[in-house]
Amino acid sequence: MSDDVAQTYLDELNEAQREGVINTDGPSMIIAGAGSGKTRVLTYRIAHLIRHHNVDSFNIMALTFTNKAAREMRTRIERVVGTDARNIWMGTFHSVFARMLRAEASKLGFPSNFTIYDTQDSKSLIKSIVKEMRLDDKMYKPNVVYNRISGAKNRLVSWQEYMSNPVYKADDQENGKPEMGNIYKTYVNRCVKSDAMDFDDLLFNTNVLFRDHPDVLNKYQHRFHYIMVDEFQDTNISQYVITRKLASVRQNICVVGDDAQSIYGFRGADIQNILNFEKDYPDLRVVKLEQNYRSTQNIVNAANSIINNNKAQLRKSIWTENEAGHQLELIKATSDNEEGKLVASAIFEEKVNNLLKNSDFAILYRTNSQSRSMEEALRRMNIKYKVFGGLSFYQRKEIKDILAYLRFAINQNDEQALRRIINLPKRGIGASSIDKIVVAAYDHDISFWEVITNIHSFLGGRVADAIRDFATTIRSFMISAQNKDAFEAASHIAKNSGLLKELYEDKTVEGLNRYENVQELLNAIKEYVDNPEVTEKNLGSFLQEIALLTDNDDDKKNNDDAVTLMTIHSAKGLEFKMVFIVGMEEDLFPSQMMLSSRADLEEERRLFYVALTRAEKRVFLSYALNRYRFGRLKTCEPSRFLEEIDPQFIRQNSSVSSRTSQTNNNYARNLVNGINHQKKRAFVQKTSYQPSTDFKPSDTTNLIEGMKVEHPKFGFGTVTQMDIQGSQRKAKVDFDEVGEKTLLLAFAKLKIHN
DNA sequence: GCGTAACCTGTTTTT
DNA sequence: CAGGTTACGC
């Protein structure tokens, strides 16, 4: 690139942006408001380093939070500097440090082909640990335990520190979970035994690596002369410490972020990192990008009027020179289905009136489950759409099953993979046999695989033979994983595991779908192998490649002209001409889970801010007065956020809603009354204990101790004790004729008497 | 050990 | 609603 071109790109920038690009040395922080050209500054900064300071791309590290952001940045940099950018270490925190850990794995006692456990794997491991420890699984739910462990790791608290920390101990005691520390310890040990790391381990263990191996740290400190972090407001402590250590020699660290867009608190992101940053780097240069180039004045002002309700924020003022634009439009609906219809027809109308493409529209929601009603309405109106998020391709059962085989062919210590495949397809190896293998492995302090390969010294009979055959199959898979390329190995394994055959024989619609999915997986592997840029073509490297992918990374989705449906979280960093934010209802957005603390409400508000600032031209907000949630129709209140918007920026009686509002209101009233009516009837039935006219399986809410009941076989009796065993409720009844019986309430035909 | 029927439970966002 | 769990009969 000539100096002319260099001058051109600097000319494109405003003063603040230029400052962000050219001050490359020393620590700097760029506070970048929404739509202020943040990515442009970051890419030009890197281009500037390479072009004007002759920095080798080998010495640059650029960290993002999503694969999509990383890819976007790479293509944009390549557009400016071409292939000179190819050696930049650029990617998500997780993928970059996974790569580093693979290179240094032996120092931590891991093999370099360690497995990465996804959330599902982690939770099912926790589940089996809780079961083995004979703890109450109602108290130690996998979700809760996982979040607790994850939180600890993100704060760099090891299990040793966790167990010796009186604050955690007291906290767990108070919550009735005194064994949490022990579970944490066992969980970590089991991961190590499985040669596996979970998502948080990738960062935690990088910290361990840097702490315990100064030579390794030193090597990377001198390798990375320039470090850049995008979306800095989303870093957790673990990530922050990694970057601080890496930058401590050269001090050339540049972080870009916006405290108003911090929406990953639940993942341990800590706004404090922005504040600490000034303390850790006293000669920090701070640049604020405050001019918004994306949205109309109305959208910017409305967004500001929302975010100003938050107490915790850095002072900055986002402004724009763009046109005033339309007010935000409010769409009121009586049900989620009607909401879908109104949104779809609004899209249709706007599309026709303004000659827009499908891809100019996005429908954003708080939870993935909200996509359903939108999808239906769009399908009916024949509008093409694409849904991001939700269950990713790689999380589908049939795909995870195949992947478990592939994983196990690479790593025989992978416990979660083994549990998944040992009896799939059915080989007559049931739960009790698996328990025996676990026990044998513990008794002799050997791996599951060692038990399986010597099964006849532990077990006899048909099951042992089945396990031996399984081991033989796996051995052949191990050989093909080693000797063949990823595609050949995967095809061999899919065929000979019996999974493909089983799916092929399932001729139901879902079965066909599953079979196609597996074929698609094989195609993806084929593509991977055929890609000339890929140097390592074996199965292990393919698995490493996909371990950190999410549904939002599907490239195929990015080329179609289709309306985008996604959660607000995944919309961060994107922009659309018109944005629909749906489900603006109290308890849904802001989420009811969040109402426990003020800080959490502020994060919800930032989420709303993010959603609004995705839009260039127009924003539509919609809510439904009735919505199906978890199979139940629920009446809803409009979100408090609707009232927080300064009224001058929002149009209350839009054409869309006024057309239908009168009938809607009547309909809604009837609907609500109907529901209340039904609820009332149910209430009467449940609490009045009318003698049943017939013998029925008892309603569990009706039956209480001391109640008189009649049973068709045992006659009259009195309930002496109610009991919950597992997930089922039981009642002990003392019958006048036959004495005490325990009845499973789900099946017990009883008449209840007053 | 397996298939089936009935039951329970969560109901937030993502690498 | 969907995914997971349990009891029961074979």
Side-chain angles (χ1 to χ4, degrees), chain A residues 698 703 709-712 714 719 721-723 728-735 740-750:
Chain A
S698 301
L703 216 57
V709 294
E710 187 186 350
H711 188 274
F714 307 136
V719 179
Q721 202 189 332
M722 298 295 295
D723 194 18
Q728 309 241 342
R729 275 156 222 259
K730 295 185 174 185
K732 219 177 249 179
V733 182
D734 192 12
F735 288 102
E740 207 162 61
K741 295 270 174 194
T742 302
L743 303 174
L744 187 59
L745 286 183
F747 305 111
K749 301 264 206 269
L750 289 175

Side-chain angles (χ1 to χ4, degrees), chain A residues 589-607:
Chain A
F589 188 29
S591 156
Q592 61 178 14
M593 312 286 292
M594 284 298 188
L595 295 184
S596 52
S597 87
R598 199 184 54 80
D600 290 341
L601 181 62
E602 297 213 341
E603 178 154 324
E604 293 287 294
R605 206 173 271 126
R606 291 194 292 270
L607 204 50

Side-chain angles (χ1 to χ4, degrees), chain A residues 10 24 32 64 74 83 133 250 285 353 446 474 492 560-561 709 736:
Chain A
L10 285 181
T24 51
T64 63
R74 183 175 290 281
T83 53
M133 290 173 75
R250 301 268 177 174
R285 192 196 303 268
N353 291 343
I446 54 178
I474 294 296
H492 175 233
D560 302 343
D561 175 36
V709 294
D736 300 344

Side-chain angles (χ1 to χ4, degrees), chain A residues 394 486-487 519-534 537 542 554-556:
Chain A
Y394 291 104
F487 177 68
Q519 292 300 343
E520 203 178 317
L521 173 68
L522 292 175
N523 287 341
I525 302 177
K526 179 84 177 132
E527 261 173 53
Y528 174 81
V529 171
D530 289 345
N531 184 347
E533 283 174 34
V534 175
K537 299 194 187 291
F542 174 78
D554 188 347
D555 275 334
K556 286 185 196 105

Side-chain angles (χ1 to χ4, degrees), chain A residues 607-751:
Chain A
L607 204 50
F608 191 28
Y609 178 84
V610 169
L612 287 170
T613 54
R614 294 314 94 199
E616 294 169 23
K617 299 291 177 204
R618 291 194 76 169
V619 172
F620 296 78
L621 306 170
S622 76
Y623 64 82
L625 292 171
N626 298 281
R627 178 181 298 280
Y628 273 97
R629 286 239 259 168
F630 322 113
R632 292 252 155 265
L633 194 58
K634 190 178 171 293
T635 64
C636 312
E637 300 263 308
S639 166
R640 70 176 74 181
F641 288 163
L642 292 173
E643 278 162 33
E644 290 185 359
I645 304 170
D646 189 327
Q648 71 183 103
F649 304 124
I650 184 165
R651 185 145 71 126
Q652 288 291 341
N653 295 310
S654 72
S655 58
V656 182
S657 57
S658 64
R659 252 204 323 260
T660 45
S661 67
Q662 196 51 50
T663 38
N664 283 350
N665 285 340
N666 292 335
Y667 174 61
R669 200 175 305 126
N670 292 338
L671 210 52
V672 171
N673 285 340
I675 291 158
N676 284 341
H677 190 59
Q678 273 185 0
K679 261 190 192 160
K680 254 178 224 159
R681 273 208 340 234
F683 187 70
V684 171
Q685 266 180 0
K686 273 183 185 167
T687 51
S688 68
Y689 305 127
Q690 299 284 342
S692 338
T693 51
D694 200 0
F695 292 98
K696 287 178 189 157
S698 301
D699 186 324
T700 51
T701 48
N702 284 355
L703 216 57
I704 54 173
E705 280 165 32
M707 192 173 275
K708 291 257 190 328
V709 294
E710 187 186 350
H711 188 274
K713 247 195 249 167
F714 307 136
F716 291 94
T718 313
V719 179
T720 54
Q721 202 189 332
M722 298 295 295
D723 194 18
I724 300 174
Q725 193 190 62
S727 58
Q728 309 241 342
R729 275 156 222 259
K730 295 185 174 185
K732 219 177 249 179
V733 182
D734 192 12
F735 288 102
D736 300 344
E737 310 278 320
V738 294
E740 207 162 61
K741 295 270 174 194
T742 302
L743 303 174
L744 187 59
L745 286 183
F747 305 111
K749 301 264 206 269
L750 289 175
K751 270 187 196 175

Side-chain angles (χ1 to χ4, degrees), chain A residues 14-77:
Chain A
N14 67 33
E15 200 178 324
Q17 289 175 326
R18 199 175 305 136
E19 215 181 304
V21 169
I22 61 177
N23 293 318
T24 51
D25 284 29
S28 58
M29 176 159 74
I30 300 173
I31 303 290
S36 62
K38 171 196 73 165
T39 311
R40 168 180 280 201
V41 170
L42 255 182
T43 45
Y44 285 175
R45 186 183 173 94
I46 294 173
H48 199 73
L49 280 173
I50 294 174
R51 280 298 179 225
H52 283 258
H53 297 270
N54 287 323
V55 176
D56 191 327
S57 64
F58 181 81
N59 298 121
I60 299 174
M61 174 183 265
L63 299 168
T64 63
F65 277 80
T66 61
N67 297 305
K68 193 186 266 171
R71 250 198 318 267
E72 158 104 3
M73 200 181 295
R74 183 175 290 281
T75 47
R76 282 173 72 163
I77 291 171

Side-chain angles (χ1 to χ4, degrees), chain A residues 337-352 358 363 372-385 563 580 656 659:
Chain A
N337 287 329
E338 197 199 15
E339 182 189 32
K341 272 182 222 161
L342 292 175
V343 167
S345 49
I347 289 178
F348 187 81
E349 224 169 279
E350 293 295 324
K351 222 177 105 172
V352 174
N358 287 331
I363 300 176
R372 239 170 212 290
S373 53
M374 293 295 141
E375 287 181 67
E376 250 164 60
L378 290 168
R379 255 201 309 271
R380 242 178 245 140
M381 294 208 69
N382 234 337
I383 298 172
K384 205 168 169 194
Y385 64 88
V563 175
F580 290 77
V656 182
R659 252 204 323 260

